[in-house]
Amino acid sequence: MPQDLLQVNAPLIGVPGGRHLLDTPALLIDLPAMTRNIERMAALAKARGIHLRPHVKTHKSVEIARRQVAAGAIGVSCVTLGEAEVMVQGGIPGVLITSPAVTPSKISRLIKLAQRARPGDVMVVVDNPQNLADLARAASELTHPLDVLVDYGAGYNRTGAATQAKVLELAALVAAEPRLRLRGLQSYAGNLQHIVSREERSAAAAGLRETVADIVAAAKRQGLHFDIVTGAGTGTHDLDSQENAFTELQAGSYVFMDAEYTQVLASDGQPSPFEVSLFVQTAVVSTNATGWVTVDGGTKCFSTDSGVPLVAKGVDAASRYAFFGDEHGKLMPPQGSTAQRPALGARVEFVTPHCDPTVNLHDAYHVVEGGTLVAIWPVDARGRR
């Protein structure tokens, strides 16, 4: 986007209290909190002897990916080829594309990306023999084999081979194809990440780990070796890192957290190990109604797939938000509240309902430390397919 639009709040960088003067709505990162989240996940992975390849679908930011790698991550995971292109262009190593590249245009872009990157720095998953054959033909343009992981449909079955037998069949085909290199197995179970009960989530994750271990053992008996077994997410990061089924974690949302993940990780009375570091700041733009005020953040500002934003700062935390159109939100005080209504222009910050799609609605992060705006970072891979 035009640089002047991205930098509309740039004059406030370093200004005391600048956080509270932003042109709104503004996507905020609490830098100290985000840094602690990055360090905590890296420390957990190191302590448990498991690699970390965090998902950039959460933040879509080269700067944040660099910080994750600097803290110990071996690379990043990307859902889309566009995200992967941005990360490779930004110098991020170890890029895994976690969804199949199937159409001719996507395969062509994948091969060009693998040509630009260092050998082994771009990997892609496959779940279909036809796609595997198409990739092999295209990989003849490379001076090195294309790195491939077999995708197992462990979760919602959005993608992935449906059975152990299909996984092994695909793995054997990859291993027999000189233009491809078998790197490993992907088994990401998105359906487990938001189970609120830790006991239920733990049991479900244990069942998947057993299945994954069985697949790996069966592959080994056939002379097939998976160097990488990748999966897990923020909701199961501590569960899936406690045994040897996985060699790496793909957790992504831990860097920011949101209303849904905070509830999941704080289940059973335990506090979440990660802090909310992502907020959206809005301003009160109308106080004329008697039962609510209107803020300048609506469906174009917050994701709508996981409930409503939660109040973080600026008014009583028990105040209730409701979507009020594309550009507006309705903010209602708690029942029986006698607190003074927020004034026209007052700033109200919210915890996002779902961080990943909310980020994709914004062009820039406003990075704050306390009340000071310290930087503005672009959301580099916003909308990249």
Side-chain angles (χ1 to χ4, degrees), residues 230-253:
T230 185
T234 296
T236 62
H237 74 281
D238 59 329
L239 302 169
D240 289 333
S241 59
Q242 67 186 6
E243 297 173 4
N244 295 325
F246 291 97
T247 67
E248 63 181 47
L249 305 176
Q250 287 186 11
S253 296

Side-chain angles (χ1 to χ4, degrees), residues 103-309:
T103 61
S105 61
K106 286 291 198 298
I107 292 173
S108 175
R109 287 168 60 192
L110 172 65
I111 297 303
K112 290 177 182 176
L113 185 63
Q115 288 171 330
R116 294 204 307 270
R118 296 178 303 178
D121 260 356
V122 171
M123 300 176 285
V124 68
V125 302
V126 295
D127 71 356
N128 185 283
Q130 180 60 57
N131 182 222
L132 190 155
D134 293 341
L135 290 175
R137 280 192 296 272
S140 62
E141 300 178 26
L142 297 174
T143 58
H144 55 83
L146 179 66
D147 291 292
V148 170
L149 284 76
V150 177
D151 188 18
Y152 170 57
Y156 294 114
N157 293 317
R158 290 177 291 216
T159 66
T163 65
Q164 174 177 299
K166 291 293 186 182
V167 170
L168 298 180
E169 176 187 345
L170 283 167
L173 290 172
V174 175
E177 172 52 67
R179 292 167 294 185
L180 304 177
R181 181 165 66 139
L182 179 63
R183 295 298 305 278
L185 174 72
Q186 173 175 269
S187 179
Y188 177 76
N191 59 317
L192 306 186
Q193 304 308 314
H194 298 285
I195 298 175
V196 174
S197 166
R198 180 172 175 81
E199 182 179 357
E200 293 176 16
R201 190 167 71 253
S202 178
L208 176 60
R209 291 196 301 277
E210 183 176 352
T211 299
V212 169
D214 287 345
I215 293 173
V216 172
K220 189 174 182 180
R221 289 194 295 270
Q222 294 189 18
L224 302 167
H225 182 64
F226 297 137
D227 292 326
I228 298 169
V229 182
T230 185
T234 296
T236 62
H237 74 281
D238 59 329
L239 302 169
D240 289 333
S241 59
Q242 67 186 6
E243 297 173 4
N244 295 325
F246 291 97
T247 67
E248 63 181 47
L249 305 176
Q250 287 186 11
S253 296
Y254 75 93
V255 74
F256 287 154
M257 299 297 290
D258 53 32
E260 191 167 21
Y261 261 128
T262 298
Q263 179 187 22
V264 168
L265 292 186
S267 61
D268 298 332
Q270 297 297 315
S272 169
F274 305 108
E275 306 167 53
V276 175
S277 66
L278 184 77
F279 303 92
V280 173
Q281 184 183 111
T282 66
V284 175
V285 295
S286 179
T287 60
N288 293 337
T290 57
W292 64 81
V293 298
T294 302
V295 297
D296 60 353
T299 59
K300 291 182 180 179
C301 185
F302 297 102
S303 69
T304 61
D305 62 321
S306 297
V308 296

Side-chain angles (χ1 to χ4, degrees), residues 3-89:
Q3 192 68 13
D4 58 336
L5 294 179
L6 184 64
Q7 298 292 328
V8 65
N9 284 310
L12 294 173
I13 293 175
V15 175
R19 173 178 184 163
H20 310 292
L21 303 172
L22 296 172
D23 193 68
T24 56
L27 188 66
L28 305 187
I29 292 176
D30 182 320
L31 183 58
M34 185 190 74
T35 300
R36 288 190 292 270
N37 288 345
I38 290 173
E39 292 172 348
R40 284 170 185 155
M41 183 65 85
L44 179 142
K46 183 178 180 180
R48 297 195 176 183
I50 193 167
H51 293 303
L52 180 61
R53 198 186 304 271
H55 233 300
V56 304
K57 67 176 182 177
T58 299
H59 56 69
K60 303 172 181 64
S61 163
V62 171
E63 176 62 32
I64 296 174
R66 286 175 180 152
R67 289 167 183 253
Q68 290 173 311
V69 170
I74 61 170
V76 296
S77 301
C78 303
V79 173
T80 71
L81 191 58
E83 290 172 352
E85 289 167 335
V86 168
M87 293 300 130
V88 169
Q89 180 66 30

